[in-house]
Amino acid sequence: VKEKVSMAELFATINHLFISYFGEDVELRFRCKYYPEVEPGAGVDMKCFVCNGLGKNGNNEKCAVCKGRGWIEMGGSGIIHPNVLEMAGLDSKKWQGYAFGMGL
């Protein structure tokens, strides 16, 4: 939480975290997604590390890890909703913040 934050800062933080954890070659995508605690919200997907985003294994069968999608949903994120800041006792006209969570 600080006076001004941006989605670019949020995405850079998440990208840095994933690179630190999964390595330099990790590929991410961010999709618009609804979460009531944030506005706007974004889902974080990682390219499947088993099929390398193809959605199929070596036998041309659907990848069991990503279910044939090529991407694995890894978490959610967004700019903290002003109502959440107010409930925490912060002036939402002065303060902003971002939030994210990871997990399959």
Side-chain angles (χ1 to χ4, degrees):
V1 174
K2 62 183 189 176
E3 288 190 28
K4 290 284 184 190
V5 298
S6 69
M7 291 295 279
E9 289 175 292
L10 170 61
F11 292 167
T13 300
I14 292 171
N15 195 49
H16 179 73
L17 174 68
F18 273 77
I19 287 172
S20 298
Y21 193 75
F22 293 104
E24 289 286 330
D25 58 345
V26 69
E27 286 188 49
L28 300 178
R29 71 177 182 186
F30 297 89
R31 296 175 295 114
C32 293
K33 195 142 184 195
Y34 173 75
Y35 300 103
E37 304 84 10
V38 297
E39 186 177 287
V44 183
D45 299 339
M46 181 175 76
K47 186 185 265 188
C48 182
F49 53 86
V50 173
C51 69
N52 199 32
L54 299 174
K56 302 177 212 178
N57 64 19
N59 298 329
N60 216 20
E61 299 168 334
K62 185 167 35 169
C63 177
V65 173
C66 68
K67 309 277 192 282
R69 294 182 187 100
W71 294 88
I72 304 167
E73 186 172 357
M74 296 297 288
S77 64
I79 302 296
I80 300 172
H81 195 287
N83 291 345
V84 174
L85 291 171
E86 294 288 340
M87 285 189 283
L90 297 172
D91 180 1
S92 64
K93 291 179 179 33
K94 179 178 180 180
W95 299 101
Q96 294 180 318
Y98 59 76
F100 61 92
M102 286 179 50
L104 295 174

